Amino acid sequence: MATSNSFSYDDLYSRNSIAIPRAENRHAKYDFAVAYPDPETLPLDGLAESLKTALEREGKGLALYPVSAGLPSLREWVAERLTRERNMQVSPEDIVLTSGSGEAISMLIAALTDPGDVLLTEEYVYLGTLRAMRRFGADVRSVKCDNDGIIPEELETTLSGLAAEGRKVKFLYTIPVFQNPLGWTMSLERRIKTLEITQKYGVPVLEDDCYVDLRFEGEDVTSFHSLDDTGRVLYVGSFSKIVAPGVRLGYMVAPPEVIQRAMSFKGGGGVNQFAALAVQEYAAGHMDRHIEEQNQALRVKRDAMLSALGENFGDAAQWSKPEGGLYVWLEMPEGTDLAGLQEPVFNQGVGYYNGTMFSPEGRGANCARLCFGHPTAETVSEGIAELARILEGHGVLRA
Ligand SMILES: Cc1ncc(COP(=O)(O)O)c(C=O)c1O
């Protein structure tokens, strides 16, 4: 056991490495900060049974290292589902399984980004992606959005400005369905416009569809990928939101030459075959039913959050009304310091993530993401009332 650390690595670290403190996994009594699913809705019995069936059938295959693109039968399942549900013309060869979609995103960023390259995102963006972009030295710029998604005129202005400066934009990253953290779904018209504009500037799109199955209201909008037949849309998806984050399974869909480059950043010899076997077997027999049940539970929680916000915040704030996913975006009047209050409010029992955490430019101190996935509906209602009470105590909400 090491007892002293007298050797210094300080001169040895790569330029790309950054020190990430070990996550403490702190939870407030009312935890709206993290995007965990409700443990009660995890399909544990189904997964256990599926794992047993799959191991009896092909468990001896675990003696071998998995193929680098991941379990073929799971890639087949993904390809069929994307063809059926997302109108995508894809085959298992176009798919690589990854350790969560986070790995797929990181691999694509790594394969496409040199330090200083510009990457575009929506106005606020999933933290994991933002961190990965920064890790590879990207100059991350956001494009203004409204409730229909990216505003085309803003995208055009941003791209023409960057072109005039001679800056290279490597891709536009979008979370078009139940955007994290904003909650909206990008309309079809906006998707078409976004593709037209990015095409004009020779910029590909990375579509992150990680929440697409969590719809409990409204109509699906076809994927970006389905609107393009030139290979300029890269796509990632995840099993975290429809099975469990702990299975660490996601995937990318990309043209073969991009896959080859991205694979150079994949460590660990393929993805966990043990998890893939269980999920494939489970998915083949039970996925649609499970998603339906999970979404019914999520709808009740979303409703609880919206009515609690109405009762406790009234017209003192605005918030999104998502048709699915896990998040409500709360916007308080300009000048309200939800960023500064995040820690004190956490210590008083309510967790949220403030807007600046999701903004490439550090904007949004008056905003917060509230996740309704993990707590029960009752806890959601109590927690929002508690949040309002605490904010009143800090003088930022009038009783
Ligand atoms: C938009 C988005 N993309 C990707 C991920 C990564 O998920 P995972 O790596 O668990 O698939 C998350 C996680 O919350 C997310 O919100």
Side-chain angles (χ1 to χ4, degrees):
M1 196 172 77
T3 49
S4 72
N5 282 337
S6 54
F7 184 77
S8 170
Y9 288 85
D10 285 352
D11 295 336
L12 304 176
Y13 295 120
S14 74
R15 278 189 299 277
N16 280 335
S17 72
I18 47 171
I20 299 183
R22 277 187 186 221
E24 290 171 62
N25 259 345
R26 300 186 315 156
H27 296 289
K29 178 176 177 200
Y30 299 106
D31 190 356
F32 302 127
V34 288
Y36 297 145
D38 184 343
E40 299 308 320
T41 62
L42 298 185
L44 298 181
D45 292 342
L47 281 173
E49 216 174 279
S50 300
L51 176 62
K52 185 162 185 294
T53 309
L55 287 183
E56 278 166 8
R57 193 182 55 233
E58 50 192 304
K60 290 189 175 150
L62 290 175
L64 307 173
Y65 281 91
V67 293
S68 57
L71 187 69
S73 55
L74 185 54
R75 283 187 284 124
E76 259 165 50
W77 185 86
V78 171
E80 275 167 24
R81 188 169 177 87
L82 293 179
T83 306
R84 196 176 62 240
E85 303 281 329
R86 305 302 293 141
N87 306 321
M88 291 166 59
Q89 303 298 315
V90 284
S91 71
E93 288 68 48
D94 305 314
I95 295 169
V96 175
L97 298 179
T98 50
S99 173
S101 57
E103 186 184 38
I105 295 167
S106 278
M107 286 161 65
L108 289 167
I109 293 171
L112 292 165
T113 314
D114 283 315
D117 286 343
V118 177
L119 301 180
L120 294 184
T121 71
E122 282 142 359
E123 196 170 353
Y124 295 93
V125 62
Y126 164 56
L127 264 176
T129 298
L130 189 53
R131 282 200 192 120
M133 288 175 164
R134 287 181 171 149
R135 188 159 68 248
F136 289 98
D139 177 358
V140 190
R141 308 278 185 100
S142 76
V143 183
K144 222 171 160 11
C145 300
D146 61 18
N147 279 337
D148 282 333
I150 292 174
I151 302 171
E153 297 72 29
E154 299 278 343
L155 179 60
E156 175 89 51
T157 308
T158 306
L159 281 170
S160 65
L162 287 162
E165 287 171 38
R167 300 297 304 279
K168 182 90 186 150
V169 180
K170 287 297 183 70
F171 60 85
L172 165 71
Y173 170 78
T174 172
I175 309 163
V177 185
F178 312 134
Q179 209 268 1
N180 178 7
L182 294 165
W184 46 247
T185 292
M186 202 183 308
S187 67
L188 178 60
E189 197 194 330
R190 289 287 175 88
R191 290 175 198 230
I192 293 168
K193 266 278 175 221
T194 300
L195 275 178
E196 270 171 26
I197 297 167
T198 48
Q199 183 156 9
K200 179 169 149 195
Y201 290 91
V203 174
V205 171
L206 171 51
E207 174 175 29
D208 181 347
D209 232 2
C210 131
Y211 295 101
V212 71
D213 293 301
L214 306 191
R215 176 173 289 283
F216 34 82
E217 213 172 81
E219 294 297 316
D220 271 342
V221 182
T222 197
S223 60
F224 266 99
H225 195 281
S226 70
L227 296 169
D228 166 74
D229 57 7
T230 66
R232 74 181 66 235
V233 177
L234 309 168
Y235 184 96
V236 298
S238 178
F239 286 95
S240 291
K241 313 299 169 186
I242 53 174
V243 180
V247 297
R248 302 312 303 131
L249 283 172
Y251 49 89
M252 74 169 74
V253 180
E257 63 276 18
V258 179
I259 285 186
Q260 281 177 11
R261 295 285 182 142
M263 286 304 274
S264 68
F265 294 96
K266 169 113 189 67
V271 297
N272 187 327
Q273 185 96 336
F274 189 72
L277 281 169
V279 167
Q280 191 281 321
E281 184 66 29
Y282 179 77
H286 311 282
M287 194 63 101
D288 289 338
R289 177 90 199 270
H290 169 63
I291 290 175
E292 216 179 290
E293 284 171 9
Q294 182 181 289
N295 286 348
Q296 277 167 17
L298 278 174
R299 175 205 282 269
V300 174
K301 294 171 190 219
R302 189 272 324 250
D303 290 347
M305 182 166 276
L306 294 183
S307 40
L309 285 167
E311 280 158 30
N312 295 281
F313 284 73
D315 55 11
Q318 293 183 319
W319 51 89
S320 61
K321 294 165 187 71
E323 295 182 328
L326 297 174
Y327 312 107
V328 167
W329 182 248
L330 177 76
E331 201 171 333
M332 298 208 50
E334 205 61 53
T336 312
D337 189 13
L338 291 179
L341 286 171
Q342 181 172 308
E343 191 61 20
V345 172
F346 178 90
N347 291 330
Q348 289 174 274
V350 183
Y352 63 80
Y353 281 166
N354 79 82
T356 64
M357 298 171 73
F358 306 97
S359 160
E361 293 83 10
R363 286 194 281 260
N366 58 322
C367 302
R369 187 190 76 174
L370 302 172
C371 176
F372 53 80
H374 180 70
T376 62
E378 205 182 5
T379 313
V380 166
S381 308
E382 278 173 27
I384 294 296
E386 185 64 5
L387 175 63
R389 201 188 58 73
I390 296 170
L391 292 178
E392 276 164 25
H394 287 282
V396 296
L397 190 70
R398 261 182 290 129

